[in-house]
Amino acid sequence: MTSDLDPSTVVVHAGRPERVPNAPLGESPVFSSTYIAGGDRGYGRFGNDAWDAFEQTLGELEGGRGLTFASGMAAAAALLDLVPVGGLVVAPQHAYSGVLGLLDQQVATGRVKLRRVDIADTDQVTAAVAGADLLWVESPTNPAMEVADLPALTAAGRAAGATVVVDNTFATPLLQRPLDFGADVVMHSATKFIAGHSDVVLGAIITANNDLWTALESKRRNLGAVPGPMEAWLGLRGLRTLALRLERAQSNAAFLANRLLGHPRVSRVRYPGLPDDPGHARAKAQMSGFGAILAVELGGDAEGAQRVCESTKLWVHATSLGGVESMLERRRRWPAEVPTIPADLIRLSVGIEHPDDLWSDLKQALKA
């Protein structure tokens, strides 16, 4: 593909087979664990046509070379495995609880050392990254919606000799390209916005560093953290509509954020698209949109927040995000969520339904 195409076009056309007569328009999943000897495929754990197409598309969108994994956690585990035994990781105090939980496990066994930081506090992160082997960045953060200064943090991390990883799950490559800011690796839970239909578990890594790509591909192969061909194919099929899904979901999120801002039961709305949000100016400078995730707080009323989640009729009370359907949950219902996340915080993943219907359902749930 040519670099002058808009990302909304690239997401549709990248990773396609060569246009020759009778060729299929898109790659098909190849259901085989075994390949005839003499080629470069070797074995089912080493490669698959559906992986190749998915990785090429994501690579073009992010500006690097892609690798697909069995899940977002498999991708995260491969990245953390790059850290030498006893090495230092700097990570956000608020981020996906699965990654933070894995880090805590590795600290408990002496596998790594850990410094937790407020990822939105650039000075704090810059000071903490001295001597680190890996800087883990998530922006916007899950579920606190904090926005990191990506250019400043990647510069600080690389100056300190740390590998800089950015979890780009919330923003997607259509709103933010961390490699352009100097990050070494981008990670996605492709289960979420990338695949977009709540029907597949998938992860991905993209890097422009060939040595890093080779090391991560080796870990995927040797650890067996490979996706099935059908999962990769579903991820690619979902990715084709990302631009349209994100456009509608993001518009809905902005509409709802403004409506919720004026509701008497809501004490705080966390959404970088709001002018008064702490991350607004930073997000506006480094993102091309504000995304489709927001969070609200209900004045300390954790029980009320739980009742809201259990009272919706259209919104799905579920723990995932990034699907075409709108989902919500009180994050502290999970024991693994960090205690600095308010107990009354509700994370909302806004889908592509009609905004008036979504608002009506939220209003009746807040009233209930």
Side-chain angles (χ1 to χ4, degrees):
M1 303 292 293
T2 57
S3 59
D4 59 348
L5 293 176
D6 188 87
S8 62
T9 301
V10 174
V11 78
V12 174
H13 286 280
R16 299 281 187 178
E18 183 182 0
R19 293 186 182 183
V20 296
N22 295 322
L25 183 59
E27 288 290 356
S28 299
V30 176
F31 298 106
S32 182
S33 63
T34 309
Y35 297 91
I36 305 300
D40 59 2
R41 190 62 88 196
Y43 183 60
R45 187 160 38 86
F46 304 164
N48 186 281
D49 290 347
W51 302 359
D52 292 347
F54 185 54
E55 291 168 355
Q56 182 184 342
T57 306
L58 272 181
E60 290 197 33
L61 287 169
E62 288 281 14
R65 191 176 178 191
L67 274 172
T68 186
F69 283 77
S71 66
M73 282 304 300
L79 287 164
L80 294 178
D81 204 44
L82 294 172
V83 180
V85 174
L88 175 62
V89 177
V90 175
Q93 63 178 343
H94 299 145
Y96 174 55
S97 59
V99 171
L100 296 183
L102 178 57
L103 278 168
D104 286 341
Q105 290 177 14
Q106 295 193 353
V107 169
T109 61
R111 171 70 180 78
V112 300
K113 299 173 183 176
L114 176 64
R115 289 177 186 160
R116 294 184 183 272
V117 293
D118 176 354
I119 207 68
D121 187 335
T122 302
D123 291 340
Q124 184 185 133
V125 179
T126 300
V129 82
D133 296 280
L134 187 144
L135 171 60
W136 190 280
V137 181
E138 189 177 281
S139 184
T141 60
N142 181 4
M145 300 306 297
E146 298 141 333
V147 180
D149 186 337
L150 293 183
L153 296 192
T154 54
R158 298 187 76 170
T163 299
V164 181
V165 175
V166 178
D167 185 335
N168 204 29
T169 299
F170 273 22
T172 83
L174 296 190
L175 301 184
Q176 178 173 273
R177 298 205 337 162
L179 297 183
D180 290 348
F181 298 120
D184 294 295
V185 185
V186 172
M187 194 213 86
H188 287 277
S189 173
T191 305
K192 312 303 194 300
F193 285 104
I194 296 296
H197 291 78
S198 304
D199 58 5
V200 64
V201 175
L202 203 61
I205 287 170
I206 305 95
T207 180
N209 183 313
N210 286 330
D211 291 339
L212 268 177
W213 187 94
T214 300
L216 290 163
E217 191 279 332
S218 177
K219 291 186 182 299
R220 179 183 71 173
R221 178 186 301 209
N222 294 331
L223 295 173
V226 297
M230 192 65 185
E231 284 79 2
W233 183 84
L234 283 170
L236 179 59
R237 187 179 69 164
L239 180 58
R240 298 300 187 199
T241 62
L242 175 61
L244 289 174
R245 289 187 284 107
L246 189 59
E247 179 181 9
R248 176 59 177 259
Q250 183 173 242
S251 173
N252 283 351
F255 169 81
L256 293 171
N258 281 283
R259 288 295 180 94
L260 288 162
L261 199 60
H263 196 282
R265 289 285 289 115
V266 176
S267 60
R268 181 179 178 183
V269 179
R270 297 174 180 241
Y271 182 63
L274 294 172
D276 292 337
D277 187 88
H280 176 73
R282 191 173 284 171
K284 189 174 181 180
Q286 66 191 28
M287 299 173 68
S288 59
F290 301 109
I293 306 292
L294 59 113
V296 297
E297 297 171 36
L298 302 188
D301 185 3
E303 291 184 4
Q306 186 66 28
R307 287 197 300 274
V308 168
C309 295
E310 294 170 353
S311 299
T312 57
K313 298 177 172 61
L314 185 62
W315 289 75
V316 182
H317 185 201
T319 195
S320 195
L321 57 95
V324 293
E325 58 284 299
S326 294
M327 292 176 269
L328 82 173
E329 70 167 340
R330 188 179 70 88
R331 283 299 300 169
R332 282 285 298 281
R333 75 187 179 97
W334 296 102
E337 191 59 78
V338 295
T340 48
I341 293 298
D344 63 325
L345 181 143
I346 302 173
R347 185 187 67 195
L348 299 97
S349 171
V350 184
I352 65 171
E353 304 95 335
H354 195 284
D356 290 340
D357 294 330
L358 294 175
W359 175 236
S360 294
D361 193 29
L362 281 179
K363 277 198 304 181
Q364 68 80 24
L366 285 163
K367 183 178 180 180

